[in-house]
Amino acid sequence: MRRARERFRTGGIALACLLSALTTGCSSGSGDDDSPSPLMAAVGHISVAGATGAQVSYLDADRVRSLEKGGSQRFRTVGQAGSPLLSGYRFNAHAYGLDQAMIDTDVTNGYAGHWDGSFDTDGITAKLKAGGFARSTWHGETIWKKEGITLRIARDELSFGFAGKDLSSVRPAKGKSLADDPDYQALDRCLGDAYRVDFGGKNAEHAKNTVRLSATGQRAKSAKETSGVICALTDGKRAAERAADRLRSVIEQRAPRFDGAKVTVLTGDSPGVQVTVPDRPGDKRAGRILTSDIDLQLALSKL
């Protein structure tokens, strides 16, 4: 198992995971009770403060490559890292020796992010220097900066800030990452073994915000057998039941679009709702509940 799946820099998650497993179950990256899931390991790089007002996305790129080994093209849309460092017009990643194949896991928070993988540190830094990036020090670490882009590069990880963002939102202090937030821990348990997750922005506490945090995940038993899952945390059991009723109504009204979907009310300390939706056998692309059939997300947003 790659090092990207094993690293986790913040504490406290193992105990919370173990206690939650007594009633709701807990996902794990390695099968050990005290190991964080790959998702929690990744969001451990995102600070709580840095996630405010921004959407957080996670991709297990190494797993997607494994699924595509048979020549599958089903993951072309949802299996690519959506990092602005790869798509931004002001930074030609390829020219600086960076490409998708180097990334094992990607977690992006708006205009900042973190990759775990395998990087040619010497080659990349040489190209950055030749390309006009200036070397400096940030919190005792060597960084490279140019025109609003900040990079920190090591052999097995890369952190970046884009559009003037520094690295503070992806270099959190111990105990201050999203992995320490009970709501993200609850969504992790609900999402299960997902190779991609897109979190909605966390709502501020307000009476009208029935859904305070949600996420859409993508699962794959194989390249041909894929599905999506939506998890949403609500402000109470009654709100969770209303959310479930709304989802069931949409599934019925849009039949046969969501045939095979299953709605579950989440109970315990983190009430909410889960809906799982299989991708249709004839779909050329995986991830339809994220890219096209978004009726279920819209239903939750209108609670």
Side-chain angles (χ1 to χ4, degrees):
M1 187 169 288
R2 303 294 290 269
R3 186 178 178 185
R5 294 174 176 273
E6 299 171 351
R7 301 186 69 245
F8 187 55
R9 300 184 295 114
T10 57
I13 302 306
L15 178 59
C17 188
L18 180 60
L19 293 175
S20 298
L22 296 176
T23 56
T24 60
C26 184
S27 59
S28 171
S30 66
D32 298 329
D33 287 343
D34 60 350
S35 297
S37 70
L39 175 59
M40 285 292 97
V43 300
H45 293 289
I46 304 295
S47 72
V48 172
T52 303
Q55 290 187 328
V56 176
S57 63
Y58 156 79
L59 177 70
D60 186 340
D62 187 47
R63 184 176 175 193
V64 171
R65 284 193 293 269
S66 181
L67 289 165
E68 291 179 329
K69 281 184 177 178
S72 174
Q73 299 294 311
R74 299 195 70 229
F75 305 93
R76 179 172 295 180
T77 302
V78 294
Q80 298 293 314
S83 168
L85 199 62
L86 292 173
S87 59
Y89 66 91
R90 288 186 299 173
F91 183 81
N92 184 344
H94 182 74
Y96 293 102
L98 294 168
D99 62 55
Q100 294 262 2
M102 297 177 175
I103 305 169
D104 287 345
T105 59
D106 163 44
V107 60
T108 299
N109 172 26
Y111 286 103
H114 181 91
W115 299 339
D116 282 313
S118 300
F119 305 100
D120 176 9
T121 307
D122 293 339
I124 294 170
T125 54
K127 290 179 179 179
L128 291 173
K129 185 176 181 180
F133 274 78
R135 180 176 177 173
S136 61
T137 301
W138 181 83
H139 290 245
E141 298 179 323
T142 298
I143 61 172
W144 298 84
K145 298 183 69 174
K146 178 185 177 182
E147 298 177 353
I149 299 173
T150 302
L151 298 169
R152 176 195 173 276
I153 304 170
R155 191 167 298 279
D156 59 355
E157 64 177 0
L158 183 152
S159 299
F160 66 87
F162 202 76
K165 301 294 183 181
D166 64 20
L167 303 182
S168 59
S169 65
V170 290
R171 306 288 291 177
K174 185 176 181 180
K176 300 294 185 180
S177 79
L178 294 185
D180 300 296
D181 186 324
D183 283 348
Y184 282 85
Q185 296 172 25
L187 285 184
D188 176 49
R189 295 189 294 272
C190 175
L191 290 163
D193 187 17
Y195 65 85
R196 173 173 174 152
V197 175
D198 292 86
F199 293 95
K202 190 168 185 178
N203 289 328
E205 292 184 4
H206 191 281
K208 293 183 179 180
N209 288 335
T210 303
V211 174
R212 66 176 182 271
L213 183 64
S214 64
T216 301
Q218 309 300 325
R219 298 172 175 175
K221 292 183 178 180
S222 68
K224 294 182 179 180
E225 190 176 356
T226 61
S227 62
V229 56
I230 301 171
C231 295
L233 303 181
T234 63
D235 58 8
K237 181 179 178 181
R238 290 184 179 179
E241 292 172 345
R242 290 200 306 272
D245 289 341
R246 177 67 65 85
L247 291 170
R248 293 186 183 106
S249 177
V250 171
I251 291 168
E252 181 179 354
Q253 292 173 10
R254 299 290 189 272
R257 182 179 298 179
F258 298 113
D259 282 1
K262 180 181 179 181
V263 178
T264 303
V265 175
L266 306 176
T267 58
D269 294 335
S270 301
V273 64
Q274 177 202 66
V275 55
T276 57
V277 184
D279 286 321
R280 293 166 296 208
D283 289 342
K284 294 182 178 179
R285 299 284 184 265
R288 66 187 179 103
I289 64 169
L290 179 67
T291 61
S292 57
D293 293 342
I294 61 172
D295 305 73
L296 298 174
Q297 287 97 324
L298 292 176
L300 291 173
S301 69
K302 297 176 181 178
L303 283 176

